[in-house]
């Protein structure tokens, strides 16, 4: 009983601190959030952190230079003005992006103790199937809006 109340409070806090521009969010599709986190973790462990680019400044620079991949954004960032330019820029560059509920969980999946706001996941031949499934799921989330 107590565990259910803590889970409800945790989910309520996630909804409370979610930024208003957070669409498409991965929690709308069952198990997608865990799959995104595990794919990031695979990329970090396989390539010794060269499979990802993390941080607002570095991801913005990488996208402007034409790097492709999946961009994962934490939905509980505050103030959200810091990343408000990203969705427009990503849509213009035709880079798929998805919001995840927690930036602290995003930081944990990059094997960092610090919360991470944005991660660019580069495509790799070793996990190409999972990568393509996530891209298809993001396209499906965008179509359902």
């Amino acid at each position: 009983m107590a565990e259910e109340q803590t889970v409800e409070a945790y989910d309520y806090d996630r909804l409370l601190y979610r930024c208003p521009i957070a669409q498409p969010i991965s929690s709308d599709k069952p198990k997608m959030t865990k799959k995104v986190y595990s794919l990031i973790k695979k990329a970090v462990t396989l390539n010794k952190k060269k499979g990802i680019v993390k941080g607002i400044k570095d991801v913005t620079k990488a996208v402007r230079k034409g790097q492709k991949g999946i961009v994962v954004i934490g939905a509980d960032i505050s103030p959200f003005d810091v990343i408000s330019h990203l969705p427009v820029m990503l849509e213009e560059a035709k880079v798929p992006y998805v919001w995840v509920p927690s930036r602290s969980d995003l930081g944990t999946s990059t094997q960092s103790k610090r919360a991470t706001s944005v991660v660019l996941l580069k495509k790799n031949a070793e996990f190409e199937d999972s990568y393509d499934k996530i891209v298809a799921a993001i396209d499906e989330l965008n179509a359902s809006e």
Side-chain angles (χ1 to χ4, degrees):
M1 184 74 175
E3 187 177 311
E4 277 184 31
Q5 289 176 342
T6 57
V7 170
E8 275 184 29
Y10 184 66
D11 287 341
Y12 175 73
D13 285 346
R14 285 185 169 192
L15 289 174
L16 186 66
Y17 295 116
R18 183 180 296 170
C19 77
I21 61 171
Q23 284 297 328
I25 189 141
S26 64
S27 60
D28 290 346
K29 197 164 176 83
K31 299 182 183 177
M32 184 176 167
T33 306
K34 284 185 180 181
K35 290 179 183 178
V36 170
Y37 289 149
S38 67
L39 191 61
I40 293 171
K41 197 172 275 190
K42 278 183 194 175
V44 170
T45 54
L46 284 175
N47 298 334
K48 297 180 182 173
K49 297 193 180 183
K50 292 184 181 176
I52 63 166
V53 177
K54 65 181 181 177
I56 298 166
K57 191 174 181 180
D58 292 334
V59 170
T60 303
K61 185 172 28 171
V63 170
R64 283 194 179 139
K65 287 185 176 182
Q67 200 164 33
K68 297 293 181 183
I70 299 173
V71 176
V72 183
I73 309 168
D76 60 346
I77 187 166
S78 176
F80 68 89
D81 299 339
V82 180
I83 55 163
S84 61
H85 68 284
L86 271 177
V88 174
M89 186 177 70
L90 294 170
E91 287 173 5
E92 287 176 356
K94 294 184 173 70
V95 175
Y97 69 95
V98 68
W99 297 77
V100 290
S102 172
R103 64 189 191 102
S104 61
D105 291 345
L106 188 59
T108 304
S109 69
T110 61
Q111 296 183 348
S112 171
K113 292 179 182 176
R114 205 164 166 89
T116 305
S117 302
V118 185
V119 172
L120 172 70
L121 178 63
K122 300 175 191 172
K123 193 169 188 172
N124 190 336
E126 295 196 27
F127 52 81
E128 193 169 356
D129 293 338
S130 301
Y131 181 92
D132 291 338
K133 286 179 185 176
I134 296 293
V135 170
I138 291 170
D139 291 340
E140 191 175 312
L141 278 174
N142 282 330
S144 66
E145 282 183 10

